[in-house]
């Protein structure tokens, strides 16, 4: 007798934003996932601001689910909010299994997307006068910020740049301090690499700073196919752990 196929839903869980471009990007990533893995049921959920919430999606999901964060950093939403909403769905009476995948993190594929975004600006890996300012959201978690800071060194590896450093959009003085650091290293040209998944209020703030300073800035990572591949990798890792357990 053939065993029943285990059906698992990928619940792509984004931060959520008052800016509609953010939710639109999450849905575009979900479309990418569906195209790359047509046999997987992909549902979109949000931690805040946008419907449906993660708790709502889990309550309505009849299958086992793997909550797969569309988040770069292991910060508040990943560490607190997502587990809280998962626990809430269980308390509501959900009986199917729910597992949580890891955040996207400082994955090399995402660094590759960042290189592509810089190339779109005309930046060259061989430009020894270039300083690259990687701008991320930032977190109240020092350990999360430290991991995010590794993106700058990964991005600069194998280049001839004058330097690359990190700045956080949630810290107002972070950007000008980072610019001064790069100029101090001998950079004569600057570029801002947006370590954001989608446009929104914070990216607009960084764009305003870049416009005032005359610094070119990349588009966010967006719904690039390598973003979707990284999401699927996290989903597959969580699914393999479920089977092993």
């Amino acid at each position: 007798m053939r065993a029943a196929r285990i059906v698992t839903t990928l619940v792509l869980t984004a931060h959520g934003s008052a800016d509609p471009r953010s939710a639109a990007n999450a849905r575009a990533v979900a479309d990418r996932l569906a195209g790359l893995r047509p046999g997987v049921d992909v549902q979109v959920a949000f931690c805040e601001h946008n419907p449906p919430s993660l708790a709502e999606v889990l309550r309505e999901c009849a299958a086992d689910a793997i909550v797969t964060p569309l988040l770069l950093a292991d910060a508040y939403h990943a560490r607190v909010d997502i587990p809280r909403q998962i626990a809430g769905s269980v308390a509501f009476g959900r009986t199917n299994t729910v597992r949580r995948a890891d955040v996207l993190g400082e994955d090399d594929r995402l660094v590759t997307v960042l290189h592509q975004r810089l190339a779109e600006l005309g930046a060259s890996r061989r430009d020894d006068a270039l300083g690259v300012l990687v701008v991320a959201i930032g977190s109240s978690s020092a350990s999360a910020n430290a991991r995010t800071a590794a993106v700058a060194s990964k991005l600069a590896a194998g280049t001839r740049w004058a330097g690359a450093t990190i700045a956080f959009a949630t810290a107002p003085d972070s950007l000008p301090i980072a610019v001064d650091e790069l100029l101090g290293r001998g950079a004569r040209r600057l570029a801002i690499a947006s370590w954001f998944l989608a446009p929104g209020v914070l990216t607009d703030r960084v764009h305003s700073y870049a416009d005032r300073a005359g610094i070119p800035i990349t588009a966010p990572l967006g719904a690039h196919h390598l973003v979707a591949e990284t999401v699927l990798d996290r989903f597959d890792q969580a699914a393999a752990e479920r089977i092993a357990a």
Side-chain angles (χ1 to χ4, degrees), residues 41-61:
D41 176 35
V42 179
Q43 300 289 328
V44 178
F46 299 93
C47 291
E48 59 182 6
H49 295 299
N50 306 108
S53 70
L54 173 58
E56 289 170 339
V57 170
L58 290 177
R59 286 198 295 266
E60 295 175 3
C61 181

Side-chain angles (χ1 to χ4, degrees), residues 65-120:
I66 295 178
V67 176
T68 311
L70 186 61
L71 301 170
L72 291 172
D74 190 25
Y76 174 81
H77 283 300
R79 291 183 291 104
V80 178
D81 196 18
I82 287 177
R84 177 181 58 80
Q85 294 200 43
I86 291 174
S89 74
V90 173
F92 187 79
R94 178 185 170 85
T95 57
N96 296 85
T97 300
V98 181
R99 296 186 70 87
R100 178 163 54 100
D102 288 338
V103 297
L104 304 184
E106 304 73 49
D107 194 280
D108 289 344
R109 286 164 289 200
L110 304 185
V111 176
T112 295
V113 178
L114 211 53
H115 269 297
Q116 292 181 14
R117 295 288 185 251
L118 285 165
E120 291 166 4

Side-chain angles (χ1 to χ4, degrees), residues 106 111 134 144-156 166 168:
E106 304 73 49
V111 176
V134 179
N145 287 341
R147 288 191 294 273
T148 301
V151 174
S153 58
K154 282 190 169 191
L155 190 66
I166 193 78
F168 296 107

